[in-house]
Amino acid sequence: MLARVAENIYWLSRYFERAENNVRLINAHSNLLMDLPLVDDHDGWMPLISINGQDDEFSEKYLSANEQNVVHFLLADKSNSSSLINAFFAIKGNLRSCRDVVPKNVFEDINSLCRMVIENIDSSLSSPSQRQAFLRTIESRLQAIASGLNCNMCHDLGYLLMRMGCYLERADMTSRIIDVQSTRLSAVNTAPEIMAIQAQRWVSVLRSLAANQMFRQHVRRPVNGPDTLTFLLLNTRLPRSYSFCLDHLEQCVKALKNPEHVIAAIGTLQDKLKSANFTTLARDPVGLHDFLDELQLGMLNVSAAISTTYFPPLQDSE
Amino acid sequence: MPGRWTNYKSASFDELIDNNGTPRPAAEKLARWFDTLSTEDLELRETAAKLAIQQMGITFTVYSDKGNIDREWPLDIIPRIIDAQEWSGVENGLKQRLKALNLFIDDIYNDQRILNENIVPRALIESSANFRSECKGIKPAHNVWANICGTDLVRSEDGTLYVLEDNLRVPSGVSYMIENREVMKRVMPEVFRECHIQPVDNYTSDLHQMLCSLTEQPDPTLCVLTPGVFNSAYFEHCFLAQEIGAELVEGRDLFVADDGYVYMRNVGDKQRVDVIYRRVDDEFLDPDCFNPASTLGVRGLIKAWKSGKVAIANAPGAGVADDKVIYSYVPDIIRYYLNEEPLIANVPTYRCENIEERNYVLDNLPSLVVKPANESGGYGMLIGPQSTPEEQADMAENIKNNPRNYIGQPTLSLSTVPTLSDSDIEARHIDLRPFVLQGSDISVTTGGLTRVALVKGSLVVNSSQGGGSKDTWVVHCDDAPKSSSSQQSQQQS
């Protein structure tokens, strides 16, 4: 497969995963805030901006961090490079450059979804209920696309690269979602009322990762910090757990040539996870935030290793 | 809505309905089926077709001041129908023409017999913008230079078919021919059971076979070379690559290695390329050989081709026969190489280089069509009857400054097909672009791409200039012997 096309298909997959996690996060987060009546608008919504480090960018454009503004910034703001609509523009652009390797029926699904999102995103923001339904539709259609690719595409190099993009992005999103709902919400507000609803926050973290039901089935204890962190970061059967993603990413890379640098970068992250003490971290929002930050930096190294190994810049001759 | 056709009128030859409002035999079943549809039904089908095109992402790109815009491919849901018997004659004519043209190109770059015998003037070739002296002495596979040809056919008032242009460089449109059929099958499946429509999708396997015949390599690696995602025909490049199992590459994805072969830059390694179906114009193919500023091509590609290390379709230089002045010699070219009379006529053509013919053209600009010799896409031409005196004066100036570069032709009243318009079904002018492939064998598409001028009275069918398209059906009439497939299905039922 051409290196140029490989890079496009890898990024296509990353954007899919990012979009899916973002829509689920926004729905789960607004759900959580309905159960936190005492948290004010700013404290409730600002963490969704902070997770991408966009505090300054946001406050330049919007007067306050209320639901309407934050949601608009995250979903429909074309000037925000991380907004959902821009993710779909990126999907469209990448799809164009790798159209010939995507199965036709799945191409149609992706193409229709892009059109649907771009055409309806503004009107979907007219009320929270419409927005929730809209985001839920995007989530399920993205999952249908992932399944279509799985069933219709040869599990060849292109598919491996798609899986790699997906696992990498998913692990990264898992760490960010834990960060936004467990550490940032508590870091900005340590009022007793907030601390009293600890469990609720952990439930929301699980929901944001569609892992609530699986937690109940597999952990069989009331939701609590250490168990949630262990489940979401170390479980080897939960598809959105950090370790699951890392292990599968590693398997994919091992099927490629010259995997050494990528595997080394993955290994660093695996060691970090193994040596963490989640009982302590669950009680220490600042420590947990720093830990998750380290994971994100480690993942940047993995991503860089993949790019330099498999998508070398085009040269004039070899 | 019965009686839909009785009020239908066309000022020209109509492909579906005769002067009395009676459907022609090959169109009878379709016309009867349309009679069963109400106006609302028709609108629903039209909307369904638009939606299918959106969903399938069938687009073409228009260059504009605001950048490149992807537009949905315009398809009118009333098909154009050709009687199968007539088509087999056209098919033979198209094959005859491409065979002769390829013998001509091969002669031009090798022995130049036709120039030595002064059947075609030497000066004409040497002044042609598409003559590539770098290609002299080359013998491509099967001595065929133009492997893919998109001939434009038009029909005049009296029902005669003419060849309007031979497109021998990088003709486009065949993907839309195939996708039009896909859309029609989605939006009016009923009608396919009624009419016996010959399929069109064998083109891609013919193309695959033809490209493979250009190399000795078994299971060769094929590439479609595109100028990139912003090219107006990018959709087609993608479509064809997908259909023939070729890699869709840009110039920067390829390189010529020290061993002189062409390679793709793959993940982790390189892969040799055997055949390149290029959709990049000659002058951008290789900065070493042609335009040195080109970033679309591959350095050293022409050298690799000359030494037989890669096949390129169409061969560089094939466009020499695409010159509209040389077009006027094609009947002579057919007689010279094949010793046959042309089966499809040429449109009478006045060569402005010749003083008498030039004066005739200059005196009759309001009634003629004038075309530059080497443009495509309908650019730079004058349609006399639809032009202003200023435009005619400009054209007269152009002709006087560069007579070699212009030809004049009578304005043909192109034939029409009923077409959905805002208010009703109205006659619109059409042409037809069949695609002819020549490698070790020669084959023709079943029908071709019918392009339609959507504006009332307009003769401009180019999609870049407001043209649309129609599905093209080659249909066996009832009174003609039934095809074997329909007999089989009757036996089975």
Side-chain angles (χ1 to χ4, degrees):
Chain A
M1 167 170 273
L2 286 172
R4 178 178 57 81
V5 174
E7 188 169 11
N8 276 311
I9 202 164
Y10 165 83
W11 276 103
L12 181 69
S13 168
R14 288 193 64 166
Y15 282 117
F16 281 148
E17 190 63 30
R18 193 177 295 177
E20 186 194 322
N21 277 283
N22 273 324
V23 298
R24 193 170 38 240
L25 171 62
I26 291 168
N27 263 359
H29 196 80
S30 45
N31 208 312
L32 168 69
L33 291 183
M34 285 186 251
D35 289 331
L36 302 178
L38 295 175
V39 174
D40 71 29
D41 253 12
H42 181 275
D43 291 350
W45 286 99
M46 205 53 202
L48 287 182
I49 305 288
S50 311
I51 139 180
N52 293 324
Q54 293 182 294
D55 297 50
D56 293 344
E57 197 185 335
F58 177 82
S59 33
E60 269 171 29
K61 273 180 257 176
Y62 299 86
L63 287 175
S64 63
N66 57 29
E67 173 171 358
Q68 208 185 352
N69 288 347
V70 169
V71 163
H72 183 266
F73 180 74
L74 293 175
L75 295 179
D77 192 335
K78 285 185 189 151
S79 65
N80 167 16
S81 59
S82 315
S83 67
L84 186 74
I85 187 148
N86 279 327
F88 275 92
F89 281 125
I91 288 172
K92 260 187 96 169
N94 274 284
L95 184 63
R96 201 179 160 96
S97 300
C98 59
R99 180 172 184 163
D100 55 319
V101 296
V102 175
K104 276 193 179 178
N105 51 352
V106 186
F107 169 86
E108 283 191 26
D109 293 342
I110 302 171
N111 183 41
S112 307
L113 177 61
C114 288
R115 295 186 70 98
M116 193 280 280
V117 171
I118 291 165
E119 274 167 27
N120 296 313
I121 200 148
D122 287 322
S123 61
S124 79
L125 298 187
S126 58
S127 75
S129 60
Q130 275 193 29
R131 182 186 77 222
Q132 283 188 18
F134 178 71
L135 296 180
R136 180 73 194 90
T137 309
I138 297 176
E139 184 189 357
S140 65
R141 284 176 70 171
L142 281 167
Q143 292 184 348
I145 286 165
S147 151
L149 289 167
N150 177 29
C151 305
N152 292 296
M153 221 177 141
C154 270
H155 289 201
D156 55 8
L157 177 61
Y159 187 77
L160 274 182
L161 287 164
M162 283 189 127
R163 296 312 303 159
M164 284 167 56
C166 165
Y167 291 129
L168 191 151
E169 190 71 30
R170 189 184 281 171
D172 198 52
M173 286 303 289
T174 295
S175 71
R176 284 175 198 271
I177 286 169
I178 297 173
D179 194 13
V180 68
Q181 295 200 329
S182 61
T183 77
R184 292 193 190 257
L185 266 186
S186 42
V188 293
N189 195 332
T190 48
E193 307 91 79
I194 303 295
M195 298 310 278
I197 43 164
Q198 284 279 6
Q200 239 166 328
R201 288 194 289 115
W202 292 114
V203 170
S204 181
V205 171
L206 288 167
R207 280 201 186 131
S208 301
L209 292 161
N212 192 24
Q213 192 184 340
M214 292 303 128
F215 179 91
R216 312 274 175 176
Q217 278 176 22
H218 292 268
V219 181
R220 294 166 182 263
R221 276 192 292 272
V223 175
N224 63 77
D227 278 336
T228 304
L229 286 177
T230 310
F231 190 59
L232 291 178
L233 293 171
L234 292 185
N235 190 286
T236 52
R237 300 269 170 243
L238 178 76
R240 265 184 261 278
S241 103
Y242 205 93
S243 290
F244 181 99
C245 294
L246 273 187
D247 293 350
H248 282 73
L249 180 59
E250 187 181 17
Q251 282 170 26
C252 292
V253 179
K254 278 183 176 163
L256 305 182
K257 287 182 191 160
N258 311 321
E260 302 78 19
H261 291 301
V262 184
I263 288 181
I266 294 173
T268 311
L269 279 170
Q270 284 166 330
D271 293 346
K272 206 175 291 285
L273 281 169
K274 272 183 211 133
S275 59
N277 181 337
F278 294 121
T279 316
T280 323
L281 285 176
R283 273 192 244 105
D284 172 14
V286 178
L288 178 58
H289 170 71
D290 290 344
F291 175 75
L292 294 168
D293 225 30
E294 283 171 35
L295 289 186
Q296 283 153 29
L297 289 173
M299 199 53 101
L300 277 180
N301 289 334
V302 176
S303 166
I306 291 176
S307 295
T308 48
T309 312
Y310 300 112
F311 317 131
L314 296 163
Q315 303 129 12
D316 202 40
S317 62
E318 297 217 335
Chain B
M1 204 174 96
R4 176 162 267 139
W5 309 110
T6 40
N7 295 325
Y8 175 79
K9 287 273 174 297
S10 171
S12 312
F13 181 96
D14 193 86
E15 302 278 345
L16 262 54
I17 309 291
D18 71 15
N19 284 338
N20 308 317
T22 312
R24 297 187 190 279
E28 212 182 307
K29 282 181 173 157
L30 176 82
R32 233 186 282 138
W33 184 76
F34 265 98
D35 276 344
T36 67
L37 298 183
S38 67
T39 310
E40 292 72 38
D41 289 337
L42 260 183
E43 277 167 15
L44 282 178
R45 307 265 175 174
E46 193 186 18
T47 312
K50 285 215 171 91
L51 276 176
I53 287 166
Q54 277 182 8
Q55 195 171 14
M56 292 161 79
I58 310 174
T59 57
F60 70 107
T61 309
V62 186
Y63 308 121
S64 81
D65 305 339
K66 290 181 195 159
N68 303 322
I69 307 162
D70 267 354
R71 292 232 181 106
E72 256 95 45
W73 176 248
L75 167 67
D76 181 79
I77 59 169
I78 305 179
R80 180 254 186 89
I81 298 185
I82 306 172
D83 187 300
Q85 223 169 348
E86 176 182 26
W87 184 249
S88 85
V90 175
E91 214 179 299
N92 291 335
L94 291 168
K95 288 180 183 169
Q96 176 196 51
R97 198 169 170 101
L98 186 58
K99 273 187 208 160
L101 283 168
N102 272 315
L103 288 167
F104 169 71
I105 304 167
D106 197 49
D107 188 20
I108 291 297
Y109 288 116
N110 287 282
D111 302 340
Q112 303 201 329
R113 283 194 298 129
I114 200 166
L115 305 185
N116 297 338
E117 293 179 33
N118 212 14
I119 312 279
V120 173
R122 180 176 297 274
L124 186 63
I125 297 298
E126 284 170 357
S127 62
S128 169
N130 290 313
F131 175 67
R132 313 256 171 245
S133 56
E134 299 88 343
C135 299
K136 276 189 192 161
I138 308 277
K139 283 279 176 192
H142 317 292
N143 299 336
V144 171
W145 294 68
N147 305 101
I148 300 126
C149 166
T151 314
D152 285 340
L153 297 177
V154 295
R155 201 195 289 276
S156 71
E157 289 100 301
D158 63 358
T160 314
L161 272 180
Y162 292 96
V163 172
L164 188 65
E165 284 178 16
D166 302 288
N167 294 294
L168 303 169
R169 284 172 281 179
V170 285
S172 59
V174 75
S175 59
Y176 301 111
M177 171 191 89
I178 296 167
E179 292 287 50
N180 280 353
R181 178 61 55 83
E182 279 306 304
V183 173
M184 293 289 279
K185 279 154 80 174
R186 281 194 197 192
V187 301
M188 39 179 80
E190 305 88 341
V191 78
F192 281 78
R193 241 170 286 133
E194 294 283 322
C195 314
H196 299 289
I197 307 155
Q198 298 192 10
V200 293
D201 57 0
N202 50 323
Y203 176 79
T204 49
S205 50
D206 289 346
L207 176 64
H208 188 209
Q209 224 165 357
M210 185 280 288
L211 292 171
C212 290
S213 82
L214 304 183
T215 174
E216 315 257 288
Q217 290 292 322
D219 304 326
T221 300
L222 312 177
C223 281
V224 174
L225 175 62
T226 174
V229 293
F230 299 114
N231 185 266
S232 64
Y234 180 73
F235 167 82
E236 173 152 309
H237 306 160
C238 217
F239 176 91
L240 291 174
Q242 217 167 15
E243 292 291 321
I244 63 176
E247 294 283 345
L248 181 65
V249 300
E250 296 176 17
R252 58 194 169 122
D253 297 321
L254 299 180
F255 67 97
V256 178
D258 295 339
D259 60 8
Y261 286 94
V262 181
Y263 292 89
M264 288 189 282
R265 299 176 202 278
N266 272 1
V267 178
D269 58 11
K270 58 184 183 183
Q271 186 184 350
R272 210 176 101 183
V273 175
D274 302 305
V275 182
I276 298 175
Y277 175 14
R278 52 94 173 212
R279 297 294 299 256
V280 171
D281 287 331
D282 278 359
E283 52 266 48
F284 300 106
L285 274 179
D286 180 353
D288 274 355
C289 196
F290 303 123
N291 184 346
S294 170
T295 53
L296 302 176
V298 185
R299 195 172 288 286
L301 180 62
I302 295 299
K303 202 175 155 205
W305 173 66
K306 281 184 171 177
S307 54
K309 290 184 167 161
V310 70
I312 302 179
N314 288 347
V320 67
D322 208 341
D323 183 306
K324 289 187 181 70
V325 184
I326 289 171
Y327 159 89
S328 67
Y329 289 92
V330 174
D332 298 327
I333 288 172
I334 292 174
R335 290 183 197 105
Y336 180 75
Y337 292 105
L338 301 178
N339 202 17
E340 294 171 8
E341 275 305 301
L343 297 173
I344 313 177
N346 247 23
V347 179
T349 302
Y350 306 99
R351 303 161 185 151
C352 294
E353 194 178 25
N354 174 321
I355 179 108
E356 281 165 33
E357 296 179 44
R358 173 161 75 242
N359 287 337
Y360 177 83
V361 171
L362 289 171
D363 291 345
N364 292 281
L365 282 176
S367 67
L368 296 176
V369 173
V370 182
K371 297 175 184 173
N374 285 299
E375 286 287 342
S376 59
Y379 292 102
M381 63 187 268
L382 176 89
I383 299 177
Q386 293 174 6
S387 62
T388 62
E390 291 76 30
E391 287 165 340
Q392 291 166 20
D394 286 348
M395 183 53 89
E397 204 55 34
N398 290 342
I399 293 172
K400 285 176 202 156
N401 289 337
N402 190 359
R404 156 68 180 88
N405 200 37
Y406 288 92
I407 54 133
Q409 291 171 338
T411 309
L412 299 181
S413 164
L414 307 187
S415 63
T416 59
V417 171
T419 302
L420 291 183
S421 69
D422 286 343
S423 50
D424 202 356
I425 293 179
E426 292 180 344
R428 291 289 183 270
H429 294 293
I430 52 142
D431 76 352
L432 179 66
R433 178 175 287 184
F435 292 83
V436 194
L437 297 174
Q438 186 177 1
S440 58
D441 289 320
I442 187 160
S443 64
V444 181
T445 48
T446 311
L449 175 67
T450 294
R451 300 184 297 174
V452 53
L454 293 172
V455 177
K456 192 172 194 167
S458 166
L459 298 171
V460 182
V461 297
N462 305 75
S463 54
S464 52
Q465 300 185 41
S469 73
K470 285 172 170 290
D471 192 16
T472 307
W473 295 0
V474 173
V475 168
H476 281 286
C477 284
D478 273 349
D479 43 359
K482 280 230 167 76
S483 70
S484 58
S485 65
S486 68
Q487 278 165 358
Q488 272 168 15
S489 63
Q490 275 166 0
Q491 279 161 11
Q492 280 166 6
S493 61

